[in-house]
Amino acid sequence: MSEGPIKIAIVGPGAMGCLFASLLSGDGREVWILDHRPERAALINERGVTVESAGKERTSRVRASGDASEIGPCRLAIFCVKSGDTESAARSASPLVGPGTDALSLQNGLGNVEVLEAAFGDGRTLGGTTAQGANLIGPGRARHAGFGETVIGQPGGGVDRAEAAARIFRECGIETRVTDDLAGLIWSKLAINAAINPLTALLNVNNGFLAECPETLELMRLAAGEVKAVCDKEGIRLLFDDPFQKAAAVARATSANVSSMLQDVRAGRPTEIGRISGAAAERAKAAGLDAPVNRALYLLVKALERSYGGGGGKL
Ligand code: KPL
């Protein structure tokens, strides 16, 4: 890739996509959003991306396009689409990925890095998690709802490419660390999401409610425990000893947050339940274990999606 400004593409203009586009913009970096809806891309080109944070608004000059070949190869292609859309997003994003590109998934759930590897080949992908939180409040507009560490790892071990990507994030003031255990990182986030997201979506409550209610605490304990049992059997090291206690602490720390899954339900969008509770239940089955709570949460959220998706109709 030629020398010049660092070119970064964000794949997906949702809450996290807008937040990262805004955080990474500036200082001569060329930040693009790849948006499959050309009319929204046109709006972002006209108005930029605006993020509200602690009562202040910041508008950043970010370019957007519905056509990845207009953007061309980037230093980083950061996937922020819903995990159910990773495959189709990877197909349309392929012109973003050249010899000097790292395709980085910052998505929830299992399987995203594997989809990117299948699309772009070994040695081109990175995975990560972020404790940053955001809510979408309009096209190209997000509210920064939570602050915290972003962690990046690379599949197959080593940290050189992850460290280079983390350096770009840190230069933009984004608190970022690198791990040499990407599987442990992804499964640790999965345990938290499996304990929090479906319950908030089903009960229509903020994260904090779950940590105050004895019944939801018990369901969180069971869901997180099932994820830990898979990890113990498969030799995956979680970042904490007790995923239930960690999930309860995250629910308390993000008590005012509307989880990403509840945001999807409120917006009438498909959720990421298949890559969270569904994937946890499948991996448990493959390991010869039962995960009845994750399976039930998966089925309940799928039924909820159908109720607003035109299947049964809401009363
Ligand atoms: O990652 C999250 C999400 O909403 O997807 C949590 C940790 C639950 C914070 O809201």
Side-chain angles (χ1 to χ4, degrees):
M1 201 174 303
S2 61
E3 291 297 315
I6 295 179
K7 200 202 277 189
I8 300 171
I10 309 289
V11 182
M16 294 306 271
C18 287
L19 176 64
F20 274 93
S22 165
L23 293 173
L24 289 163
S25 68
D27 268 350
R29 281 174 297 275
E30 187 182 331
V31 177
W32 286 80
I33 291 182
L34 178 64
D35 185 348
H36 68 284
R37 280 173 40 195
E39 67 289 356
R40 192 171 44 192
L43 207 69
I44 292 173
N45 273 325
E46 198 186 305
R47 300 188 191 159
V49 164
T50 301
V51 172
E52 285 179 19
S53 185
K56 290 197 185 122
E57 276 196 0
R58 175 185 131 124
T59 298
S60 315
R61 167 101 183 93
V62 167
R63 295 162 77 184
S65 176
D67 176 5
S69 52
E70 188 194 340
I71 304 173
C74 294
R75 171 64 191 85
L76 289 177
I78 305 175
F79 282 74
C80 295
V81 293
K82 293 290 166 189
S83 50
D85 296 330
T86 311
E87 266 171 47
S88 59
R91 270 195 301 276
S92 39
S94 67
L96 306 179
V97 181
T101 309
D102 283 308
L104 164 63
S105 162
L106 285 182
Q107 302 155 277
N108 280 336
L110 293 184
N112 297 301
V113 175
E114 290 78 354
V115 170
L116 297 186
E117 276 189 310
F120 306 128
D122 289 350
R124 292 262 166 77
T125 63
L126 297 169
T129 61
T130 183
Q132 302 275 4
N135 298 325
L136 196 65
I137 49 179
R141 292 184 71 88
R143 184 170 298 119
H144 200 166
F147 297 78
E149 195 180 55
T150 297
V151 187
I152 301 178
Q154 63 194 60
V159 291
D160 51 329
R161 289 185 305 106
E163 184 50 47
R167 211 172 303 127
I168 297 174
F169 275 48
R170 284 185 215 116
E171 279 164 14
C172 302
I174 305 169
E175 184 193 345
T176 308
R177 159 173 92 72
V178 158
T179 178
D180 61 1
D181 179 8
L182 182 57
L185 176 71
I186 302 270
W187 277 82
S188 298
K189 183 79 193 293
L190 177 80
I192 294 167
N193 287 136
I196 296 179
N197 294 30
L199 290 170
T200 56
L202 290 163
L203 297 169
N204 192 21
V205 293
N206 289 0
N207 296 354
F209 175 89
L210 302 184
E212 303 300 328
C213 166
E215 290 78 15
T216 52
L217 280 168
E218 178 61 5
L219 286 161
M220 290 170 76
R221 192 178 64 74
L222 294 168
E226 290 176 1
V227 174
K228 178 159 167 45
V230 180
C231 292
D232 289 347
K233 183 108 189 249
E234 303 272 293
I236 297 163
R237 271 183 302 127
L238 291 176
L239 301 177
F240 25 76
D241 291 336
D242 185 339
F244 160 61
Q245 291 297 349
K246 180 67 186 181
V250 170
R252 275 191 291 272
T254 59
S255 64
N257 269 29
V258 176
S259 80
S260 56
M261 196 171 284
L262 179 54
Q263 290 182 50
D264 289 339
V265 169
R266 287 183 177 168
R269 290 187 295 256
T271 71
E272 298 185 300
I273 196 69
R275 294 231 189 230
I276 297 178
S277 314
E282 267 170 32
R283 290 292 295 266
K285 194 170 172 201
L289 298 167
D290 274 341
V293 173
N294 279 286
R295 171 108 181 107
L297 291 171
Y298 166 73
L299 293 172
L300 283 163
V301 174
K302 281 314 271 185
L304 179 62
E305 287 179 357
R306 281 188 209 286
S307 77
Y308 60 65
K314 258 190 180 337
L315 291 178

